[in-house]
Amino acid sequence: MPLTTTMRKRSCLLGASARLLPLALCLYAGAARAQESPDAAAAPLPTATAPAAAATPTPAVPAAGGDAPARLSAEKTTPLTVPRLAEAPVIDGRLDDAVWKTAVVLRNFYQTNPGDNVAPSKPTEVLLGFDKKNLYVAFRCFDDPSKVRATIAKRDQIFDDDNVGIYLDTFNDQRKAYVLAFNPLGIQADGVHTEGSGGDFSVDLVMESKGVITDEGYAVEVAIPFASLRYEAGEGKLWGVHFVRQAKHFNDETDSWMPLARDNSSLLSQAGHITGLVGISGERMLEVIPTVAFSERGRRVLANRPTAPLPVDATVPATRFVNGPVEARPGLNVKYGFTPNVTLDFTLNPDFGEVEADQPVVQANQRFAIFFPEKRPFFLEGIDIFQTPLTAVNTRAIVSPDYAAKLTGKSGRNTFGLLFASDNAPGNFSEEERKDPANAKFLDKNAYIGVLRLKRDIGKESSLGLVATSYNFIEDHNQLGGFDGRFRLNPQTVFTFQVLGTTSRRYFFDPDKGESVYRTGNALGYSYNFDYTGRNFGYNFFGEGRTRDYRADVGFTQRTNTNFDGLFLRLSSDPDAKRFVISKRLTNYTYTNFDWQGRMQGWSNETQARFDMARQTYLGFGVNGGYERLFEEEFGAKRAPGRAGAFRGDDPERATNRATFFVFGGATPSQKYSANFYTSYTRNAFDYDFGAGPRFPRVSPAALLDPNAARDPGVGDQFFLSASLNYQPTTALRTSFDYIKSRLERADTGRTAYDVNLFTLRGTYRFTPFTFARARVDYDTLAANIRGEFLLGWTPKPGTAFYVGYNNDLSRDGYSYLTNRFEPGVQRNGQTFFVKLSYLFRRSY
């Protein structure tokens, strides 16, 4: 893969993380920010005047991990006993219920970003209480109300606003915690933080919250049902907790109730603790969500021959647009909690039609598969249990299950997950494909998929795990098994590894024979990562490899027959909010690739500098030099006496020395505006000679003479640009514009190998926190394709939803595979109108 592609993907991931996971990024101190001294004692912090109930004394526990400030109050070094409330407060955000006077109050927050455990710009209070069914949390945030940033945001998209958050380590195992965050209007974001992996905000929990902006700032009230959590509670049980606040207008300041040592890469080991959660309802919870989706699909067909494309020299045929009948698809999702920490999920005939499509990406000149994240609710529940370094489980490999079941939970130190699915996608062929005799034995057959995951906690913060997967479909069988571990050696150092073995019975392409051979293939995969996080310096030494026959049909694999080893170095300055440049960061990233025959596949070295300034403004630049080597057996047949190879000419290899220069930056000058960009220019980037569709056929010297000639990779100049602009004129309306351009011109022919422009325009208007209208238009110039998505939705709580949507598929001056021609003007290719309903029935036993 060209390094510019790797850098581009890494940049997109960092950009997404910066927008989606700022709570985790700011608190997870060793990840990406400059780090300050943890041993300077914090000054006395201001407190608010609201009355506080005295915490019940409990046995002392050690202070938070790392070098926390020396002067810690008893409420931070001793678990706080949460009082039982006599009655439930009204969740309206006003904090005027008399019952709150009996709650425990947490004060004395620390500014952890950009300051290092110093006094925050404004004080914050947290109130805690519980009853049989709910944990109640309230935030009182003091601030100038005219500067508070708050919008009617979509769930999980509140991090451009001011916000408050809670981390709940409900097993107190310092490995995983719920992350619950709220903006000043009480709009929710929720997910799971896993040590070593960061946060995943794809999980939705049932809870109630409300926030209001007051004369003193803002306040948020939350009721968290215990039935929505997996936990251990009772006499003597502790929960790890973090309470945090972000204030955007104070240079994106983050305040934390517990101090955080920036030379400690673990967030949860530095948590405070609460106890006293006794008498909680131990009832078993049953959730039933019936769903039904109605859809009508239309498509463009030939007027007289609605199937195969016509020859190029045929007369241009007439076409017509045909709407199919209205189809109804009922489904059912069931969740049953055997205990507060063991859950069974089942889905029958699910409608997995995406309400929102995947983000467009450049697919031209890509050697390897592109990863897309999971979005479907059934698979997102407990997904962190199945995640491993080598991506042994990627639930998007289960495309369209008729039914699926999943059992997940934790008992003591043991975490487990069991998943089974029957997927009808492999045997689901189009009308044209069903007429092919070669597909007869596969028609309407299902693939059967199973996953087993076990993990055991070792010591305070280490673990060992096992994973096994099975995929079976007619002639395609794949079994995978292996073990992995995560060991925290000290507060700064973590070592992780994974070893997998696979056995497959399937067709493998044999480059020596130039054909696919049905056989058994056994293979090995491995991964390791040694991570050191210091105050101003850190490094990662990491690598992974897979032998030639490695297959993970339930997982995700980009490349086989490769060994990848890399070293990442980070040098950071101490941040200072009073300076023009608040923090500086210098990184160097080096890697090499070798195949299992000992041949170098490539190497790269990248140096990057980044500068962070006020108003969430950042600017960076870097340079990358590298080498890439191609072998024809990676692309097809290997040459032999009497047989040509996959590459044209006498040389079965290609190689290039590559140089890339890149610049990136972004800013959020106000709540209304934000923008970011990444651009790069690469000399001697490879064109793999795939071609990029009818608009950009192959332009290698061989292909210009003969379009069917053997592949002839060559180098050229590549330009890449990714930019986004967000505009929010009111609290209810959000708009964004994204643009991606990628262009490569070959040096040997001077021709353009491809030129891709991707435009995405989005707009969302939220009438209420639960009712919205959304429009999205994507335009891909390479495919000459325009896709429009228009949606009206009502989502009062997870599991209950009502959608009415319309999707359209158009081409503009594009190539039609139906008529086998370029067609001028705008043509309508397809459309879908749909209505989707679901309702959550929830009952405890």
Side-chain angles (χ1 to χ4, degrees):
M1 179 182 294
L3 183 61
T4 49
T5 303
T6 303
M7 290 165 50
R8 179 168 72 249
K9 289 182 179 179
R10 190 170 348 122
S11 174
C12 292
L13 287 172
L14 289 174
S17 297
R19 297 183 62 186
L20 183 62
L21 310 177
L23 280 175
L25 288 177
C26 289
L27 285 174
Y28 205 59
R33 293 189 179 271
Q35 302 192 358
E36 292 192 15
S37 173
D39 50 13
L45 302 176
T47 59
T49 58
T56 303
T58 54
V61 295
D67 295 329
R71 295 195 297 273
L72 287 178
S73 61
E75 68 176 3
K76 292 178 168 51
T77 60
T78 304
L80 290 177
T81 298
V82 181
R84 179 182 287 272
L85 302 183
E87 59 183 15
V90 177
I91 305 301
D92 57 10
R94 302 192 180 279
L95 305 186
D96 53 3
D97 301 85
V99 70
W100 280 122
K101 295 181 179 180
T102 64
V104 66
V105 182
L106 284 60
R107 301 187 178 91
N108 298 335
F109 275 61
Y110 295 85
Q111 182 187 146
T112 59
N113 180 73
D116 179 20
N117 295 324
V118 299
S121 299
K122 295 289 183 179
T124 305
E125 294 179 354
V126 176
L127 291 75
L128 290 174
F130 80 102
D131 61 18
K132 183 179 181 181
K133 293 189 175 182
N134 298 293
L135 175 67
Y136 298 100
V137 185
F139 287 84
R140 183 180 286 115
C141 301
F142 295 88
D143 206 341
D144 180 347
S146 65
K147 296 182 179 180
V148 172
R149 297 188 184 182
T151 61
I152 307 174
K154 180 183 176 181
R155 188 186 189 100
D156 294 335
Q157 294 184 0
I158 66 170
F159 296 113
D160 290 330
D161 298 339
D162 290 347
N163 58 82
V164 293
I166 310 162
Y167 286 74
L168 292 176
D169 181 0
T170 53
F171 291 94
N172 193 35
D173 59 10
Q174 302 180 10
R175 292 166 175 82
K176 186 172 68 176
Y178 291 100
V179 186
L180 313 176
F182 312 88
N183 78 353
L185 301 181
I187 296 175
Q188 304 168 3
D190 47 1
V192 174
H193 169 90
T194 303
E195 291 285 66
S197 302
D200 177 4
F201 280 79
S202 57
V203 177
D204 291 333
L205 305 179
V206 176
M207 55 183 171
E208 185 180 1
S209 61
K210 181 69 175 180
V212 296
I213 297 176
T214 68
D215 293 338
E216 296 178 322
Y218 67 94
V220 175
E221 271 181 305
V222 185
I224 307 167
F226 293 114
S228 295
L229 307 175
R230 299 185 182 188
Y231 61 88
E232 287 183 349
E235 196 69 39
K237 296 292 185 180
L238 303 181
W239 286 12
V241 293
H242 276 297
F243 301 97
V244 296
R245 172 187 176 183
Q246 280 192 305
K248 295 296 181 180
H249 65 94
F250 290 123
N251 290 325
D252 204 18
E253 177 179 318
T254 300
D255 301 331
S256 171
W257 178 64
M258 289 297 296
L260 296 174
R262 293 188 172 186
D263 60 351
N264 187 338
S265 61
S266 170
L267 172 65
L268 299 183
S269 69
Q270 303 182 71
H273 293 86
I274 60 175
T275 188
L277 299 175
V278 296
I280 294 176
S281 174
E283 298 173 333
R284 292 167 291 181
M285 181 60 64
L286 175 66
E287 295 182 359
V288 179
I289 306 176
T291 66
V292 61
F294 301 94
S295 62
E296 181 188 65
R297 303 178 188 274
R299 62 172 183 151
R300 185 180 174 216
V301 299
L302 294 173
N304 299 318
R305 292 181 57 198
T307 55
L310 297 178
V312 174
D313 57 354
T315 304
V316 178
T319 62
R320 60 194 178 97
F321 198 87
V322 176
N323 285 313
V326 176
E327 298 179 352
R329 184 182 177 91
L332 182 69
N333 296 314
V334 178
K335 180 192 299 290
Y336 182 71
F338 292 103
T339 69
N341 53 7
V342 178
T343 302
L344 174 67
D345 294 87
F346 177 78
T347 185
L348 178 65
N349 197 29
D351 172 40
F352 279 159
E354 297 289 355
V355 174
E356 183 174 6
D358 291 314
Q359 179 72 19
V361 296
V362 175
Q363 301 193 42
N365 205 45
Q366 298 287 340
R367 284 186 66 187
F368 308 113
I370 299 173
F371 180 83
F372 291 98
E374 182 61 84
K375 295 182 177 181
R376 301 170 294 181
F378 172 82
F379 291 116
L380 291 174
E381 170 69 24
I383 194 172
D384 56 284
I385 295 174
F386 298 97
Q387 292 171 339
T388 65
L390 279 174
T391 318
V393 179
N394 172 34
T395 50
R396 287 196 68 153
I398 306 171
V399 180
S400 180
D402 289 329
Y403 59 88
K406 180 172 53 178
L407 181 68
T408 56
K410 182 167 186 175
S411 177
R413 288 180 168 266
N414 300 306
T415 301
F416 59 89
L418 182 64
L419 171 65
F420 176 80
S422 175
D423 188 3
N424 65 49
N428 189 7
F429 293 88
S430 66
E431 292 181 13
E432 293 82 5
E433 293 169 332
R434 298 178 78 89
K435 297 176 182 178
D436 186 347
N439 294 330
K441 61 183 174 181
F442 305 112
L443 293 179
D444 301 320
K445 303 296 184 181
N446 281 25
Y448 295 98
I449 298 164
V451 179
L452 172 66
R453 174 64 167 158
L454 300 173
K455 189 161 61 173
R456 179 168 177 82
D457 298 341
I458 299 174
K460 291 185 62 177
E461 300 173 62
S462 301
S463 62
L464 281 174
L466 296 172
V467 64
T469 70
S470 177
Y471 183 95
N472 297 280
F473 176 70
I474 313 300
E475 297 177 344
D476 193 353
H477 305 275
N478 173 250
Q479 322 300 324
L480 174 150
F483 57 94
D484 59 280
R486 183 176 189 271
F487 297 93
R488 188 168 185 81
L489 307 180
N490 57 51
Q492 293 79 32
T493 310
V494 177
F495 175 70
T496 61
F497 76 93
Q498 184 167 29
V499 178
L500 294 175
T502 71
T503 181
S504 306
R505 184 69 178 169
R506 55 173 293 162
Y507 281 97
F508 289 88
F509 181 78
D510 188 336
D512 293 320
K513 296 181 178 180
E515 61 183 17
S516 293
V517 178
Y518 190 74
R519 63 178 176 85
T520 298
N522 299 317
L524 172 72
Y526 69 89
S527 169
Y528 67 90
N529 183 20
F530 187 89
D531 184 336
Y532 172 82
T533 299
R535 166 186 168 83
N536 298 108
F537 174 73
Y539 64 86
N540 287 73
F541 180 61
F542 51 90
E544 62 181 48
R546 289 167 288 270
T547 57
R548 187 186 300 275
D549 288 346
Y550 180 92
R551 296 292 185 275
D553 289 352
V554 189
F556 178 81
T557 304
Q558 283 193 318
R559 189 175 192 176
T560 61
N561 191 27
T562 189
N563 296 275
F564 173 90
D565 298 281
L567 176 64
F568 177 81
L569 304 173
R570 172 191 56 81
L571 185 64
S572 306
S573 70
D574 291 335
D576 187 346
K578 297 179 181 179
R579 296 178 180 175
F580 175 73
V581 177
I582 295 174
S583 66
K584 299 180 285 292
R585 175 182 170 89
L586 180 68
T587 61
N588 190 83
Y589 172 57
T590 303
Y591 76 81
T592 61
N593 273 89
F594 286 86
D595 64 19
W596 286 78
Q597 291 74 48
R599 300 176 299 181
M600 175 173 281
Q601 297 170 317
W603 65 265
S604 177
N605 184 80
E606 173 185 306
T607 301
Q608 177 186 129
R610 170 173 170 148
F611 304 91
D612 288 278
M613 295 153 280
R615 296 179 180 270
Q616 298 167 257
T617 301
Y618 65 94
L619 181 65
F621 58 89
V623 60
N624 181 288
Y627 170 78
E628 187 175 3
R629 184 182 183 192
L630 310 178
F631 303 98
E632 66 178 356
E633 59 263 37
E634 297 179 293
F635 294 81
K638 187 177 181 179
R639 64 191 61 201
R643 187 186 68 217
F647 284 176
R648 172 183 175 270
D650 298 328
D651 191 355
E653 300 180 12
R654 301 287 191 274
T656 180
N657 290 298
R658 186 180 55 245
T660 301
F661 307 90
F662 59 93
V663 180
F664 59 93
T668 306
S670 72
Q671 181 171 317
K672 287 187 177 182
Y673 306 96
S674 67
N676 61 76
F677 74 94
Y678 172 90
T679 184
S680 67
Y681 174 74
T682 302
R683 293 294 307 272
N684 296 329
F686 258 127
D687 166 36
Y688 300 115
D689 201 21
F690 295 148
R695 189 173 295 274
F696 290 98
R698 297 166 57 200
V699 295
S700 64
L704 291 178
L705 296 175
D706 177 9
N708 298 316
R711 186 166 287 113
D712 187 14
V715 299
D717 294 340
Q718 183 183 52
F719 174 76
F720 178 82
L721 171 65
S722 174
S724 67
L725 175 66
N726 300 284
Y727 176 54
Q728 188 165 346
T730 70
T731 60
L733 177 62
R734 289 173 178 247
T735 62
S736 67
F737 173 74
D738 298 308
Y739 173 65
I740 296 175
K741 181 182 182 64
S742 185
R743 177 186 175 91
L744 190 151
E745 294 187 2
R746 282 189 65 127
D748 48 13
T749 63
R751 300 290 188 93
T752 299
Y754 61 87
D755 189 354
V756 184
N757 296 273
L758 301 176
F759 302 85
T760 299
L761 180 64
R762 296 182 183 87
T764 302
Y765 188 87
R766 304 197 75 85
F767 305 97
T768 71
F770 310 121
T771 308
F772 64 91
R774 185 177 72 209
R776 168 177 166 174
V777 178
D778 296 313
Y779 177 40
D780 181 344
T781 61
L782 179 62
N785 180 253
I786 305 171
R787 292 182 181 272
E789 299 179 2
F790 308 93
L791 185 70
L792 181 67
W794 176 64
T795 55
K797 60 182 178 181
T800 297
F802 174 70
Y803 298 107
V804 177
Y806 174 74
N807 299 335
N808 208 346
D809 182 354
L810 310 173
S811 60
R812 178 181 178 273
D813 298 332
Y815 184 87
S816 172
Y817 290 93
L818 190 66
T819 63
N820 210 16
R821 287 168 177 77
F822 283 98
E823 297 178 329
V826 176
Q827 303 289 337
R828 185 170 58 151
N829 300 316
Q831 68 178 16
T832 302
F833 177 80
F834 67 90
V835 177
K836 182 176 179 179
L837 306 92
S838 64
Y839 189 83
L840 170 64
F841 294 93
R842 204 175 202 216
R843 185 172 180 180
S844 58
Y845 293 89

